[in-house]
């Protein structure tokens, strides 16, 4: 079969030549100085200029054209319909895919790929091992370094230079004359996207529908341009007018959320609480602010007028409604300049990071042609602040790199969407030796796979993606490790180059389809369930540890070893908050569940004689908490042991929820401590707010203190514990608990040793909602142990030293001189109190050179101090006692209290054992004083509270205790407790 080739005539006209084999055109080639290796291949309808050299085994397929003076090395493939200009050079093993366009004087070195329908401008240089994605555009005079990867639809401007190993993502842009450093990553042009969950989608949709005036700000708004972090809560500035707040409340009501209070200070820069005096961010992750940093309240309309709309996306970073322009979720954002000023006006730890993200965004947008005034972050950063370190990188030009570079494999293009559907994740896990956990059941929404390797903590939960025909996984002990079947193979093999052959081998196995058909169908997951870290974690550890509620028969360790009375263990406060667990052994242990802010059990504090442990994966934000107190609002019938039990209106007890079932726990006159299942249609309760929140290092200490000093009449305690050293997430959880309970005194009951005193000092910094932040003391202490001594003697306790930092805020109205004088005086007395216990001048507390700095805040003068002193227990306890006293003086009311066992007794359980389980006398320094009245309601009703244990209906609004299925309480006031009857 004959082929046609077009060669140039002497007057540069194209002339068609037919041939059967290339040797038929030997004379024509010699006239035009065209050299083609014998084993090379030229397709039909190819056009060749003069003075062309085609190397060994090189293929130029049909429809392509090559300009004069162009040279091809060996083993090159030029696919169909490629157009190549004059004076080009192609290195060995390069590939030019179909319909690509290459200009004149282009140099493409060995092992490089030019993607389909891409365009390379004249005089450009593509270094070795580079990969240019399909439909990419490389401008004239561009320089592409070795091993550079450009994704599909990317663009490199005229005169731009890409250093070696640079990577341009799909749709990425490098602008004219821009220099991209070696090893850099270029992402596509900025298309800001907000990450929200299903609940938040509903809230924003209803806010938009009701015409609520708002703008998003803070880290959430910044993250729209970065999407590199998980932002804890969404911050929204709302116009604080009555009309707008009413619209917002209508939107919240339609979303099934609690309304926000209309009683707030429009100038306060704090989130508005709900009508139930709760944080809205705890409920659904959005805070509403009436005023924010950087702007006055009256400037809201101006900021709102120049705001921008940003599309919403779900937290898996898939844009909502991608195929429908009509149904996109718009979220109103501050403009970039306003957001920059807002961030720059804060003192957030993320300030510098956020400013750098916004500055880079402005620079990139200006390159894209937007008219923007670039703001320098240094205008908002302190001059003495150390900038974030940046590693020096080198620009590497083809032929003269700054230093040798490691080879980076070319990126292989595949249809990922189809591949992840075809490649079943469960078969992939089986391929790598993972096996199904014996706890997983066929009809579960998820299945857990384990590696089987001894000591490996991976527990991969596999679920069906509700928005796609494929499965995904998340490691229940490390939720950062998640993905689909492709990502898992890539993780195991080390990269795509190594992963694709493995995937192809699996899919090519003749028995693969049969293996897929044998996998039992998995129950579909809802969007709310899909890879929900907390729900999966809770279900998994409850199964893995065979957790059950503790009863009298299983309380032996607590009763015999810890001297706790069984009545204490089974008290209503602690019901369902003490579990029995048994994992892969015959030993049964006690476990205290650590619960997240969303109410899910994420970990356990596991105890037994000479044994203490946590599940793999840590504590997350989980905190052990006792049950909420509640009062029954009407005479009701319950079922107890298959018999009817009548409880009268006014019966007091506690509420808990376990395995989706709500229970009411109370002390019954006949049955003793009983737990009754709550029927949402029959039983109505009102929450009794805690008037004391008592924190201790361990749950056992909480039970011990409850037995040592039982609550007085009218005293409603909530015990909490982080089960040891609190993590950052736990500190946030604890802070939110205190913030949402302004009526409660915060009682700090740490161990009496040096670490316990340090914990207690740091808990003093937890902000109570009734505290005036402009007249406050905020301490922070850390321990430095530079010697790392292994000597075990009494002197070991004194090794190292403490750094105590204290911030003292004084009202601005008193003037700077008075503020400094007052604050300095407090520190002088603090240092003197610490030094009372030191007779050695070398072991005195001393201020550092960083101390005694004062700065002006909007409503206060803030003084900073730093004190260094030895790690001596008595010095620590003196610092704790003195700071607690001064903080209470500043507060003007007992917002905090300190309970501190001696260093000899160490903790409350030691005290209980010393007393053989007997309570403390009223005269003990560990007994709490009368209940402080911290809320306006309590102050008005002081006399009635002293004589009655029943709460007034004004204690809190009628609430469902975060149980949406429970009815709201009636407005009728509960009566005092009455005798219960069967």
């Amino acid at each position: 079969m004959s082929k046609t080739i077009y060669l140039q005539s002497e007057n540069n006209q194209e002339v068609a030549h037919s041939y059967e084999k290339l040797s038929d055109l030997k004379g024509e080639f010699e006239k035009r100085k065209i050299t083609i290796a014998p084993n090379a291949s030229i397709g039909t309808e190819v056009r060749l200029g003069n003075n062309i050299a085609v190397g060994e085994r090189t293929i130029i397929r049909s429809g392509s054209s090559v300009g004069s003076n162009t040279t091809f090395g060996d083993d090159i493939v030029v696919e169909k319909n490629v157009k190549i200009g004059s004076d080009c050079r192609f290195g060995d093993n390069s590939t030019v895919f179909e319909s690509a366009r290459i200009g004149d004087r282009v140099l493409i070195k060995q092992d490089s790929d030019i993607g389909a329908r891409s365009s390379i401008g004249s005089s450009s240089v593509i270094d070795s091992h580079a990969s240019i994605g399909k439909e990419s555009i490389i401008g004239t005079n561009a320089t592409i370094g070795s091993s550079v990867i450009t994704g599909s639809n990317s663009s490199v401007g005229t005169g731009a230079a890409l250093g070696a190993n640079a990577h341009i993502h799909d749709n990425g842009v490098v602008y004219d004359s821009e220099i991209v450093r070696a090893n850099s990553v270029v992402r596509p042009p900025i298309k800001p996207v907000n990450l929200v969950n299903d609940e938040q989608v509903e809230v924003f949709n209803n806010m938009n529908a009701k015409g609520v005036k708002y703008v998003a700000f803070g880290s959430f708004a910044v993250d729209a341009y970065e999407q590199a972090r998980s932002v804890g809560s969404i911050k929204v500035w709302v116009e604080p007018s009555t009309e707008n707040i009413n619209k917002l409340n209508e939107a919240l009501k339609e979303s099934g959320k609690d309304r926000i209070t209309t009683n707030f200070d429009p100038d306060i820069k704090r989130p508005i609480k709900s009508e139930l005096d709760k944080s809205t961010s705890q409920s659904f992750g959005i805070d509403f602010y009436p005023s924010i940093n950087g702007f006055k309240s009256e400037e809201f309309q101006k900021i709102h007028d120049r705001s921008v709309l940003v599309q919403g996306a779900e937290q898996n970073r898939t844009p909502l409604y991608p195929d429908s322009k009509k149904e996109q979720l718009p979220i109103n954002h501050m403009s970039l300049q306003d957001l920059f000023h807002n961030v720059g006006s804060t003192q957030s730890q993320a300030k510098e990071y956020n400013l750098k993200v916004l500055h880079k965004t402005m620079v990139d947008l200006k390159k894209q042609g937007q008219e923007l005034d670039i703001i320098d972050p240094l205008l908002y950063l302190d001059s003495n602040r150390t900038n974030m370190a940046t590693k020096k990188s080198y620009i590497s030009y083809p032929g003269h790199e700054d230093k040798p570079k490691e080879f980076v494999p070319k990126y292989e293009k595949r249809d990922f969407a189809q591949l992840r559907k075809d490649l079943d994740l469960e078969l992939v896990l089986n391929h790598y030796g993972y096996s199904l956990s014996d706890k997983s059941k066929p009809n579960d929404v998820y299945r857990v796979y384990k590696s089987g390797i001894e000591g490996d903590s991976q527990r991969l939960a596999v679920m069906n993606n509700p928005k796609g025909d494929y499965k995904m996984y998340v490691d229940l002990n490390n939720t950062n490790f998640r993905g689909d079947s492709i990502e898992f193979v890539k993780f195991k093999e080390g990269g795509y180059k190594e992963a694709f052959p493995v995937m192809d081998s699996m899919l090519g196995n003749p028995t693969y389809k049969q293996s897929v058909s044998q996998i039992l169908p998995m129950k579909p997951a809802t969007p709310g369930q899909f890879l929900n870290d907390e729900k999966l974690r809770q279900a998994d550890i409850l199964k893995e540890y065979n957790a059950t509620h503790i009863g009298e028969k299983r309380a032996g360790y607590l009763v015999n070893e810890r001297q706790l009375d069984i009545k204490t263990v089974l008290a209503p406060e602690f019901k369902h908050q003490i579990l029995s667990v048994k994992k892969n052994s015959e030993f049964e242990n006690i476990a205290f569940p650590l619960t997240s802010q969303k109410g899910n059990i994420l970990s356990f504090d596991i105890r037994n004689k000479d044994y203490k442990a946590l599940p793999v994966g840590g504590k997350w934000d989980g905190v052990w908490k006792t049950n909420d107190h509640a009062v029954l609002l009407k005479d009701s019938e319950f079922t107890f042991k298959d018999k009817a039990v009548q409880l009268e209106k006014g019966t007091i007890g506690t509420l808990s929820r376990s395995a989706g079932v709500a229970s009411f726990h109370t002390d019954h006159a006949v049955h003793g401590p009983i737990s009754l299942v709550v029927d949402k249609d029959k039983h109505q309760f009102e929450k009794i707010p805690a008037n004391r929140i008592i924190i201790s290092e361990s749950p056992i200490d909480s039970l011990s203190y409850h037995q040592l000093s039982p609550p007085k009449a009218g005293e409603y305690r909530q015990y909490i514990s982080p089960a040891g050293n609190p993590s950052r997430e736990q500190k946030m959880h604890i802070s939110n608990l205190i913030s949402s309970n302004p009526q409660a005194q915060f009682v700090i009951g740490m161990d009496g040793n040096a670490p316990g005193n340090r914990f207690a000092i740091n808990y003093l910094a937890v902000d109570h909602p009734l505290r005036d932040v402009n007249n406050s003391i905020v301490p922070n202490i850390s321990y430095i142990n530079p010697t790392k001594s292994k000597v075990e003697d009494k002197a070991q306790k004194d090794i190292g030293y403490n750094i105590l930092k204290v911030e003292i805020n004084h009202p601005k109205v008193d003037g700077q001189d008075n503020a400094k004088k007052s604050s300095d005086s407090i520190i002088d007395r603090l240092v003197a109190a610490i030094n009372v216990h030191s007779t050695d001048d070398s072991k005195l507390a001393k201020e550092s050179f960083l101390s005694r700095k004062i700065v002006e805040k909007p409503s206060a003068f803030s003084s900073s101090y730093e004190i260094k002193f030895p790690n001596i227990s008595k010095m620590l306890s003196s610092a704790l006692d003195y700071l607690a006293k001064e903080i209470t003086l500043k507060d003007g009311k007992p917002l905090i209290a300190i309970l501190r066992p001696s260093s000899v007794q160490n903790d409350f359980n030691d005290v209980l054992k010393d007393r053989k389980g007997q309570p403390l006398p009223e005269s003990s320094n560990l007994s709490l004083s009368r209940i402080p009245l911290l809320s306006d309601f309590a102050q008005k009703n002081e006399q009635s509270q002293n004589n009655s244990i029943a709460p007034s209906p004004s204690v809190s609004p009628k609430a469902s205790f975060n149980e949406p299925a429970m009815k709201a309480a009636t407005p009728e006031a509960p009566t005092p407790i009455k005798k219960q009857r069967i």
Side-chain angles (χ1 to χ4, degrees):
M1 180 179 177
S2 65
K3 298 179 183 178
T4 300
I5 192 169
Y6 294 87
L7 303 176
Q8 289 184 346
S9 65
E10 291 181 359
N11 57 2
N12 293 325
Q13 297 295 315
E14 283 189 347
V15 178
H17 297 268
S18 297
Y19 66 98
E20 296 290 335
K21 48 188 179 180
L22 286 174
S23 59
D24 296 342
L25 299 173
K26 181 178 179 182
E28 298 295 333
F29 287 159
E30 287 176 348
K31 282 194 298 183
R32 294 168 176 83
K33 297 183 179 179
I34 296 173
T35 304
I36 300 176
N39 53 2
S41 173
I42 306 293
T44 188
E45 303 293 321
V46 168
R47 289 167 167 79
L48 297 179
N50 298 327
N51 193 28
I52 291 174
V54 180
E56 301 281 344
R57 296 172 300 281
T58 289
I59 300 172
I60 301 176
R61 301 198 188 279
S62 59
S64 294
S65 66
V66 181
S68 298
N69 305 307
T70 293
T71 302
F72 295 92
D74 299 334
D75 301 294
I76 291 170
V77 176
V78 177
E79 296 289 1
K80 294 179 180 180
N81 303 312
V82 171
K83 185 174 181 180
I84 299 172
S86 303
D87 302 288
C88 294
R89 300 289 183 273
F90 289 82
D92 297 343
N93 302 303
S94 295
T95 303
V96 184
F97 289 92
E98 66 268 19
S99 302
R101 297 292 182 265
I102 298 175
D104 299 334
R105 299 176 301 283
V106 171
L107 170 61
I108 298 176
K109 293 192 176 183
Q110 69 271 14
D111 297 290
S112 292
D113 288 349
I114 309 300
R117 298 176 298 283
S118 58
S119 173
I120 311 296
S122 297
S123 302
S124 294
V125 177
I126 312 294
D127 206 354
S128 57
H129 304 295
S131 177
I132 308 301
K134 64 183 180 182
E135 299 179 351
S136 296
I137 299 174
I138 309 296
T140 58
N141 299 297
T143 303
I144 309 298
S146 61
S147 302
V148 166
I149 298 173
T150 72
S152 301
N153 303 296
S154 57
S155 172
V156 178
T158 300
L162 276 66
N165 302 301
H167 182 183
I168 305 178
H169 281 220
D170 292 352
N171 304 302
V173 177
V174 177
Y175 298 94
D176 293 349
S177 303
E178 184 176 1
I179 296 175
V180 177
R181 294 181 179 181
N183 304 300
S184 297
V185 175
V186 178
R187 292 182 170 83
I190 298 164
K191 292 182 180 179
V193 175
N194 273 130
L195 306 178
V196 288
N197 61 34
D198 290 344
E199 279 187 304
Q200 293 158 352
V201 169
E202 186 178 11
V203 171
F204 277 115
N205 272 329
N206 286 323
M207 286 169 62
N208 293 338
K210 297 293 182 183
V212 177
K213 289 185 177 181
Y214 72 92
V215 288
F217 70 100
S219 292
F220 169 76
V222 173
D223 200 49
Y225 302 97
E226 176 79 352
Q227 291 122 39
R229 297 168 293 175
S230 176
V231 178
S233 64
I234 298 172
K235 291 180 170 58
V236 172
W237 184 16
V238 293
E239 183 186 63
S241 66
T242 302
E243 178 185 2
N244 196 55
I245 297 301
N246 288 339
K247 289 180 180 179
L248 175 57
N249 277 331
E250 289 175 14
L252 292 174
K253 183 179 179 181
E254 290 198 10
S255 305
K257 309 302 178 190
D258 293 333
R259 295 159 53 94
I260 63 170
T261 180
T262 56
N263 183 23
F264 61 86
D265 181 355
D267 294 320
I268 195 167
K269 295 179 175 63
R270 287 185 183 179
I272 305 171
K273 295 287 187 71
S274 73
E275 289 181 336
L276 302 179
D277 200 31
K278 294 290 186 182
S279 163
T280 57
S281 63
Q282 284 187 17
S283 174
F284 52 91
I286 304 177
D287 277 324
F288 302 100
Y289 285 75
S291 181
I292 64 171
N293 290 314
F295 302 101
K296 298 177 181 178
S297 298
E298 55 266 28
E299 293 182 286
F300 177 88
Q301 188 60 48
K302 177 178 66 177
I303 305 304
H304 184 267
D305 288 344
R306 58 190 186 216
S307 61
V308 295
L309 292 177
V310 172
Q311 183 186 357
E314 288 193 334
Q315 286 181 333
N316 62 5
R317 307 191 190 280
T318 302
L320 295 167
Y321 324 116
D323 300 321
S324 173
K325 293 182 180 179
K326 295 181 179 178
E327 294 186 276
Q328 290 185 354
L329 170 67
I331 298 177
N332 220 30
H333 254 242
M334 276 187 166
S335 68
L336 264 177
Q337 288 91 339
D338 290 338
L339 184 57
F340 203 104
H341 182 62
N342 163 245
V343 170
S345 302
T346 68
Q347 297 301 320
S348 165
Q349 291 182 347
K351 175 178 176 177
E352 185 170 357
Y353 177 86
N354 286 341
L355 288 176
K356 287 181 178 294
V357 169
L358 294 176
H359 179 261
K360 182 181 183 301
T361 299
M362 289 177 170
V363 171
D364 289 345
L365 288 175
K366 191 155 188 174
K367 289 177 182 176
Q368 294 173 30
Q370 292 194 27
E371 289 296 323
L372 282 173
D373 292 328
I374 307 298
I375 306 172
D376 188 345
L378 292 178
L379 294 175
Y380 289 96
L381 296 174
D382 298 337
S383 59
N384 62 350
R385 185 180 178 92
T386 302
N387 289 329
M388 290 186 289
T390 55
K391 293 182 179 179
K392 183 177 180 181
S393 58
Y394 297 88
I395 303 172
S396 180
Y397 296 98
H400 48 89
E401 291 86 348
D402 292 3
K403 57 181 181 179
K405 297 296 180 181
E406 184 180 348
F407 170 72
V408 177
K410 290 179 286 185
Y411 187 77
E412 185 173 353
K413 294 296 178 182
R414 299 290 292 265
D415 186 345
F416 277 56
Q418 188 61 46
L419 185 57
R420 66 169 56 94
K421 289 180 182 179
D422 294 341
L423 190 63
D424 188 90
L425 176 58
E426 292 185 83
L427 289 184
V428 168
L429 293 174
N430 289 334
H431 173 81
Y432 286 102
Y434 285 70
S435 59
L436 192 64
S437 167
D438 55 7
K439 304 291 183 183
S440 295
K441 299 177 182 177
N443 59 345
D444 284 345
V445 175
Y446 70 99
R447 295 177 186 145
V448 174
Y449 281 82
K450 301 185 294 184
S451 70
I453 300 172
E454 186 175 353
D456 188 355
S457 66
Q458 274 190 359
R459 295 180 60 78
L460 304 182
V462 175
M463 302 183 80
N464 277 320
N465 186 340
K467 297 195 174 182
D469 300 328
Y470 60 94
K471 300 168 185 173
M472 292 188 70
Y473 67 89
V474 60
D475 186 352
L476 298 174
N477 292 325
N478 175 18
T479 56
N480 291 321
F481 182 51
R482 56 173 63 210
D484 54 36
S485 55
I486 299 174
E487 289 163 318
F488 189 83
V489 177
K490 178 175 175 261
F491 166 76
K492 282 292 188 180
E493 300 299 331
Y496 284 117
K497 179 181 179 181
E498 297 80 9
F500 284 131
V502 174
M503 291 186 276
D504 291 340
S505 173
M506 292 178 64
L507 291 170
N509 190 318
T511 64
Y512 178 77
K513 289 186 178 180
Q514 180 182 353
S515 299
V516 171
S517 67
Q518 293 173 350
I519 298 176
L520 292 174
M522 193 181 298
K523 189 175 177 181
T526 66
Q529 292 172 323
F530 182 59
L531 297 190
N532 186 320
D533 303 348
E534 288 198 5
K535 292 289 187 185
L536 289 172
R537 171 76 175 181
Q538 174 177 262
D540 184 57
I541 65 170
L542 290 176
K543 279 185 184 178
E544 186 72 6
Y545 284 84
N546 298 288
T548 57
H549 296 138
I550 195 172
E552 188 170 346
K553 293 181 180 179
R554 292 176 171 173
Y557 163 70
L558 296 175
V559 174
N560 300 326
E561 300 295 330
R562 294 292 189 164
Q563 297 288 303
L564 288 163
D565 193 287
I566 192 61
K567 289 182 179 179
T568 300
V569 175
L570 301 180
E573 289 89 342
F574 308 118
K575 290 290 286 186
H576 293 179
Q577 303 309 326
I578 309 173
L579 305 176
S580 174
V581 296
K582 185 177 180 181
K583 178 189 176 185
N584 301 331
S585 76
E586 57 188 68
F587 295 107
E588 197 167 42
N589 299 310
I590 295 297
F592 297 92
L594 306 184
T595 307
S596 73
Q597 297 187 63
K598 295 181 180 178
N600 300 302
I601 297 173
L602 302 183
S603 192
F604 298 129
D605 179 18
I606 304 173
R607 299 296 185 104
N608 213 325
K609 185 178 180 182
D610 301 324
Y611 180 74
K612 177 180 178 181
L614 289 168
V616 174
K619 297 186 286 187
W620 302 38
D621 73 337
V623 171
W624 182 76
K625 296 179 285 190
T626 52
N627 298 323
D628 287 333
H629 297 276
V631 61
L632 188 63
L633 290 179
K634 64 179 183 180
D635 295 347
S636 302
E637 180 181 285
F638 294 80
T639 300
F640 179 67
K641 293 183 177 179
D642 297 326
K643 293 183 180 179
V645 175
Q646 298 290 335
L647 295 185
E648 293 190 357
K649 174 183 175 180
T651 300
I652 288 178
T654 66
L655 284 169
S656 71
R657 176 175 281 274
S658 176
V661 177
S663 299
F664 181 61
H665 315 285
T666 189
D667 285 319
H668 193 273
V670 175
H671 297 291
I674 58 173
S675 298
L676 306 167
V677 175
V678 172
D679 185 329
K680 62 182 181 180
D681 296 320
K682 292 166 53 179
H683 307 135
Q684 297 175 20
F685 300 90
E686 182 178 53
K687 179 181 175 180
I688 305 174
N691 45 32
R692 274 192 170 124
I693 295 177
I694 304 178
I695 188 169
S696 57
E697 285 191 42
S698 75
I700 287 178
D701 287 334
S702 297
L703 272 77
S704 300
Y705 188 76
H706 187 80
Q707 185 167 318
L708 284 166
S709 180
K712 300 176 178 64
E715 184 180 7
Y716 297 98
R717 298 176 180 173
Q718 181 169 49
Y719 296 98
I720 62 175
S721 174
N725 189 2
S727 67
R728 182 179 61 84
E729 293 82 3
Q730 286 179 304
K731 290 176 183 176
M732 182 63 71
H733 188 170
I734 293 165
S735 179
N736 290 337
L737 276 172
I738 303 305
S739 296
S740 59
N741 286 278
Q743 76 290 337
Q745 183 186 46
F746 184 36
V747 181
I748 302 168
M750 296 292 107
D751 292 356
N753 54 21
N757 283 324
R758 279 191 291 271
F759 290 157
I761 289 172
N762 287 331
Y763 281 127
L764 290 174
V766 174
D767 187 25
H768 194 287
L770 297 186
R771 177 169 295 139
D772 179 4
V773 295
N774 295 316
N775 189 28
S776 61
I777 300 175
V778 184
N780 178 270
I781 192 168
S782 56
Y783 173 57
I784 310 297
N785 181 6
T787 61
K788 302 292 184 185
S789 171
K790 296 182 180 179
V791 179
E792 296 198 5
D793 58 19
K794 189 176 183 297
Q796 169 67 20
K797 296 181 180 179
D798 295 343
I799 290 176
Y801 57 91
N802 298 288
I803 297 293
L804 173 61
K805 297 180 180 179
V806 183
E807 177 187 295
I808 302 180
N809 297 296
H810 199 84
K812 207 168 183 180
V813 67
D814 291 340
Q816 181 170 336
D817 290 341
N818 287 334
K820 189 174 188 311
K821 182 178 178 181
S822 173
S823 300
D824 287 353
S825 177
I826 290 173
I827 295 301
D828 289 340
R829 294 195 299 272
L830 170 60
V831 172
I834 296 173
N835 285 333
V836 164
H837 299 288
S838 179
T839 57
D840 185 344
D841 288 347
S842 66
K843 292 185 177 182
L844 292 175
K846 297 177 182 178
E847 287 187 68
S848 77
F849 69 94
L850 297 172
S851 201
R852 308 225 169 198
K853 294 182 178 180
I854 187 165
V855 296
E856 183 178 355
K857 292 183 177 180
S859 301
F861 290 108
S862 181
S863 302
S864 300
Y865 304 87
E866 184 174 295
I867 304 167
K868 176 181 176 181
F869 62 94
N871 189 42
I872 298 173
S873 290
K874 288 185 177 181
M875 299 179 86
L876 278 162
S877 60
S878 292
L880 171 61
D881 293 341
Y882 180 80
L883 285 167
K885 182 186 74 172
E886 288 293 335
I887 288 172
T888 299
L889 287 173
K890 280 269 191 185
D891 290 338
K893 54 184 80 70
L895 303 182
I896 59 167
I898 299 294
L899 295 173
R900 182 169 50 79
S902 69
S903 57
V904 176
Q905 291 174 314
N906 194 40
D907 60 34
F908 292 129
N909 191 245
D910 285 346
V911 177
L912 184 70
K913 289 188 212 176
D914 286 348
R915 297 190 58 78
K916 301 190 184 305
Q918 296 303 307
L920 295 163
E922 286 292 326
S923 58
S924 170
N925 62 352
L926 292 179
S927 293
L928 289 166
S929 59
R930 62 188 289 275
I931 305 161
L933 301 175
L934 300 182
S935 66
D936 291 338
F937 160 75
Q939 292 169 359
K940 292 177 183 177
N941 296 275
E942 180 174 356
Q943 295 302 319
S944 62
Q945 284 293 303
N946 285 340
N947 300 315
S948 172
I949 62 170
S952 160
S954 301
V955 169
S956 71
K958 303 302 179 289
S960 59
F961 321 106
N962 296 319
E963 306 289 356
M966 300 177 77
K967 287 187 176 180
T970 63
E972 183 180 1
T975 58
I977 190 168
K978 297 181 179 180
K979 183 179 179 181
Q980 300 149 328
R981 63 172 184 266
I982 299 176

